[in-house]
Amino acid sequence: MLDYHLHLWPHSERQTPLGLEQLQAYCEKAQAAGVSELAVTEHLFRFRQADDLLGGFWADERASPGLKASMADYWDFHATADLDDYVTCAQEAKDAGLPVVIGLEVDYYEGRMDEVAGLLACYPFDVLLGSVHWLGAWRFDDLDDPVSMGEWSARQVDACWDTYTGALEELAASGVCDVLAHPDLIKVAGHRPDAPAEWWDRIAEAADSSGMAAEVSSAGWRKPVGEQYPAVPLLERFAARGVPLTTASDAHRVEHVADHAASLRGLLGSVGVEFLQGYRGRQPHAVAVGDQPVALDAAG
Ligand SMILES: [Zn+2]
Ligand SMILES: [Zn+2]
């Protein structure tokens, strides 16, 4: 098993401490759950380098002033860390023998992905997650922001899924990232279309045609939707097409590392998947799903 989606800092905290102790604790928690390899994948937008490159990207959107102001505040709050220091810390963990690889969670920036790729090429990343959290200036997954959540009542659910899927297709086609993170995140707040098959087909096709892997994430169990990403019918579509998979918790603190690993293992078994895809230097390799770890007390 893998936990290929891990953050160092909660969204609520502006401070961005770095230290090997945190990664050591993540590895211990993961290994106790039978997870053999971890990827540290902080958000690109937590770094000043992203602000220099992309700050104000929301300004020319036809979004409401409220959404734009909310995004400006969010961006300003988050873009405080140094990308060089972050990569150095992850590299030190690797060099110390911890089972971690160096990653990043990258958002989709319409028309800007070549510039994003140029920045990322300066660093020795092992794996890059590609995510759609935002549609223009709208942070549809920011459950704590009343402005963002209010937007759900102003839009049609089908149209939201359509716009989300279009952004995900463009992100996949850009070729900048390796893994589609939480592929059906648009359901996060619990808004689902009556007939989602069309969008599931398109998301599976986007992964398949781009060569990207797809993430199977337990994070949705901690959200209003109350379901892993992807939904079972989308997971079945990935498996039927042979799309490589990773597993992930999307933890932002140690308590959630390897969260629900046993349930994810069961899901993979239910669709006949025995191997996941890990990465080194952005090159894939196979990792066995593996057996359930034996509980320490049962092992005596
Ligand atoms: Zn994400
Ligand atoms: Zn994340």
Side-chain angles (χ1 to χ4, degrees), residues 14 38 45 50 110 118 135 171 175 186 193 195 200 232 262 266 271 275:
R14 194 147 201 260
L38 295 78
F45 64 81
E110 187 178 356
L135 300 174
L171 170 65
I186 188 68
W200 287 332
V232 168
V271 293
F275 288 92

Side-chain angles (χ1 to χ4, degrees), residues 97-228:
L98 293 179
V100 302
V101 300
I102 310 170
L104 201 68
E105 182 173 13
V106 181
D107 278 280
Y108 174 58
Y109 297 92
E110 187 178 356
R112 308 288 295 273
M113 294 310 287
D114 286 348
E115 295 166 68
V116 171
L119 171 63
L120 301 181
C122 302
Y123 298 91
F125 288 116
D126 290 304
V127 62
L128 295 173
L129 308 185
S131 298
V132 178
H133 303 108
W134 313 326
L135 300 174
W138 179 34
R139 300 194 312 286
F140 65 82
D141 75 329
D142 192 348
L143 303 163
D144 298 324
D145 179 46
V147 177
S148 299
M149 288 303 101
E151 191 72 8
W152 276 108
S153 12
R155 303 194 188 203
Q156 301 289 328
V157 171
D158 284 14
C160 295
W161 275 59
D162 207 60
T163 307
Y164 170 84
T165 303
L168 183 141
E169 287 168 337
E170 291 171 22
L171 170 65
S174 77
V176 173
C177 300
D178 306 305
V179 182
L180 282 174
H182 38 59
D184 53 352
L185 179 66
I186 188 68
K187 70 186 178 184
V188 60
H191 304 285
R192 287 183 267 205
D194 294 334
E198 170 196 337
W199 294 290
W200 287 332
D201 288 341
R202 282 173 55 190
I203 293 168
E205 172 60 23
D208 193 11
S209 60
S210 67
M212 291 178 81
E215 175 185 278
V216 184
S217 168
S218 61
W221 279 310
R222 306 193 300 269
K223 304 291 180 171
V225 69
E227 173 184 271
Q228 81 289 335

Side-chain angles (χ1 to χ4, degrees), residues 38-39 44 60 164 201 219 230 237 273 290 297:
L38 295 78
L44 172 60
D60 58 357
Y164 170 84
D201 288 341
R237 283 163 169 80
V273 170
D297 53 355

Side-chain angles (χ1 to χ4, degrees), residues 251-271:
H252 285 68
R253 54 179 84 242
V254 68
E255 295 92 298
H256 291 145
V257 172
D259 196 24
H260 285 97
S263 304
L264 294 182
R265 188 182 280 108
L267 265 177
L268 294 168
S270 73
V271 293

Side-chain angles (χ1 to χ4, degrees), residues 5 7 43 105 250 252:
H5 190 150
H7 297 275
H43 291 287
E105 182 173 13
D250 207 348
H252 285 68

